[in-house]
Amino acid sequence: MTRIFVVLCLVFCFTQCTNNQSSDDAAEQARLEAEKARAEADSLKKLLEASNNTSNISISDKAGLPAVQVKEVGKLNPVDEGANDPTFVEFRNNLKAAIERKDVDYVLSQCHEEIKISFGAESGVKDFQTMWFGDKPDESEFWQTMSKILDLGGTWFSETPVTFVAPYIFTTFPDEYDAFTHAAITGQGVRLRDKPTRSGKHLSTLSYNIVQWQGEGERHETIGGETYPWVKVKTLDGTEGYIFGKYVHSPIGFRAGFSKYDEGWKMKFFVAGD
């Protein structure tokens, strides 16, 4: 009788373990399917949809990035630590609004008097104005470039003075990848194509991957009201193709620093290169 009881207990335990394992497997499979579905969402389709519904999107809702960066090998996930400081959020939202209406005077008023704009001799508000606005301020690349940078979030960089740097690609890029030859995909469901055009064959879907930068192509395309060049890249597994430039950013590309002074937040630098 004792032997029968032991056998029944073993059978029961085995059945429970099997059921638990099946449940765990099912949960993991569901998680993988959900991630796959999210990754398959075409970033360019979302860009087009967003451009058709801008009246329903408030400026403060456009970033929506996590406050803590998730670390993954071969990826650079987004982060926006600035959302933790209400004074910075207000400053950034006001700056975004000025960029949308292309308000040169407001932008200049938010620059530090000694703003750094290059690694040469140029500095100060006057040089900043000359470099970026010139005779045709409405056509300046500043508006799109700065808008992209602000939407990409960033991290706190120093405490004296308190300084926030955007985008996160500059401050969090992993040391194991050469910043001169690699870049980060800055979106989810970004399609790698065999040709520099939205009609190119879909080779792979990338989400915040680190890739090898192989140069901007000559072909530009306007999608969702935004014009960018197609960039040639190679994934870490060796697949080569093209990414719409909105969704790829070099760690030594344009970045901006914002510092907090007694009079409030000011843009301290806006540079590219190393």
Side-chain angles (χ1 to χ4, degrees), residues 115-123 131 270-272:
I115 182 172
K116 186 177 181 62
I117 58 174
S118 75
F119 293 100
E122 299 89 355
S123 66
M131 174 178 287
F270 184 48
V271 297

Side-chain angles (χ1 to χ4, degrees), residues 60-131:
S60 60
D61 290 336
K62 287 184 179 178
L65 303 178
V68 177
Q69 188 177 50
V70 176
K71 303 294 184 181
E72 288 186 81
V73 176
K75 292 194 175 188
L76 191 65
N77 289 306
V79 59
D80 180 23
E81 295 177 352
N84 297 325
D85 186 326
T87 66
F88 180 72
V89 170
E90 181 181 8
F91 166 81
R92 182 169 57 183
N93 285 342
N94 289 337
L95 185 57
K96 286 183 177 182
I99 289 170
E100 289 197 353
R101 64 178 184 266
K102 297 185 177 181
D103 188 337
V104 174
D105 291 338
Y106 184 86
V107 170
L108 294 177
S109 73
Q110 301 307 301
C111 294
H112 188 274
E113 60 182 2
E114 297 178 356
I115 182 172
K116 186 177 181 62
I117 58 174
S118 75
F119 293 100
E122 299 89 355
S123 66
V125 177
K126 185 176 181 180
D127 284 348
F128 178 87
Q129 182 176 11
T130 300
M131 174 178 287

Side-chain angles (χ1 to χ4, degrees), residues 85 87-88 91 110 156 162 164 258-260 264-267:
D85 186 326
T87 66
F88 180 72
F91 166 81
Q110 301 307 301
W156 299 113
V162 175
F164 180 86
F258 307 94
S259 297
K260 190 175 186 179
W265 287 93
K266 295 289 182 181
M267 181 159 57

Side-chain angles (χ1 to χ4, degrees), residues 3-267:
R3 182 180 300 175
I4 295 174
F5 177 75
V6 171
V7 170
L8 289 174
C9 287
L10 291 174
V11 170
F12 176 78
C13 291
F14 176 78
T15 302
Q16 287 296 105
C17 290
T18 302
N19 289 340
N20 289 339
Q21 183 64 43
S22 299
S23 177
D24 291 343
D25 290 345
E28 177 64 12
Q29 184 62 33
R31 185 185 69 80
L32 293 175
E33 290 295 331
E35 288 186 355
K36 181 179 178 181
R38 286 196 298 269
E40 285 298 321
D42 190 336
S43 57
L44 297 185
K45 183 184 294 184
K46 289 188 288 185
L47 176 60
L48 286 169
E49 291 173 350
S51 68
N52 292 329
N53 293 280
T54 52
S55 60
N56 297 323
I57 303 175
S58 68
I59 294 172
S60 60
D61 290 336
K62 287 184 179 178
L65 303 178
V68 177
Q69 188 177 50
V70 176
K71 303 294 184 181
E72 288 186 81
V73 176
K75 292 194 175 188
L76 191 65
N77 289 306
V79 59
D80 180 23
E81 295 177 352
N84 297 325
D85 186 326
T87 66
F88 180 72
V89 170
E90 181 181 8
F91 166 81
R92 182 169 57 183
N93 285 342
N94 289 337
L95 185 57
K96 286 183 177 182
I99 289 170
E100 289 197 353
R101 64 178 184 266
K102 297 185 177 181
D103 188 337
V104 174
D105 291 338
Y106 184 86
V107 170
L108 294 177
S109 73
Q110 301 307 301
C111 294
H112 188 274
E113 60 182 2
E114 297 178 356
I115 182 172
K116 186 177 181 62
I117 58 174
S118 75
F119 293 100
E122 299 89 355
S123 66
V125 177
K126 185 176 181 180
D127 284 348
F128 178 87
Q129 182 176 11
T130 300
M131 174 178 287
W132 284 105
F133 299 125
D135 298 329
K136 298 180 179 180
D138 285 352
E139 299 177 14
S140 173
E141 294 183 5
F142 171 83
W143 308 115
Q144 180 170 278
T145 303
M146 180 58 77
S147 178
K148 175 185 177 182
I149 287 174
L150 294 177
D151 283 345
L152 285 177
T155 63
W156 299 113
F157 196 69
S158 70
E159 296 181 358
T160 312
V162 175
T163 300
F164 180 86
V165 175
Y168 69 90
I169 295 91
F170 174 72
T171 56
T172 67
F173 202 77
D175 292 335
E176 58 264 36
Y177 300 102
D178 188 340
F180 289 93
T181 59
H182 289 75
I185 300 302
T186 58
Q188 188 175 54
V190 178
R191 297 197 173 192
L192 181 70
R193 301 181 186 274
D194 68 338
K195 296 178 181 179
T197 173
R198 184 156 54 106
S199 61
K201 180 182 177 181
H202 174 205
L203 301 177
S204 180
T205 300
L206 308 178
S207 294
Y208 307 115
N209 297 70
I210 293 174
V211 296
Q212 291 185 33
W213 176 286
Q214 297 190 313
E216 292 183 359
E218 295 182 358
R219 189 176 190 280
H220 290 60
E221 190 167 357
T222 300
I223 301 175
E226 299 185 68
T227 302
Y228 283 94
W230 284 85
V231 179
K232 187 175 183 181
V233 304
K234 179 191 287 187
T235 64
L236 297 183
D237 65 8
T239 304
E240 294 186 358
Y242 296 87
I243 296 288
F244 187 57
K246 177 181 174 66
Y247 298 108
V248 57
H249 199 91
S250 166
I252 58 173
F254 275 105
R255 63 268 190 188
F258 307 94
S259 297
K260 190 175 186 179
Y261 301 96
D262 291 340
E263 66 271 26
W265 287 93
K266 295 289 182 181
M267 181 159 57

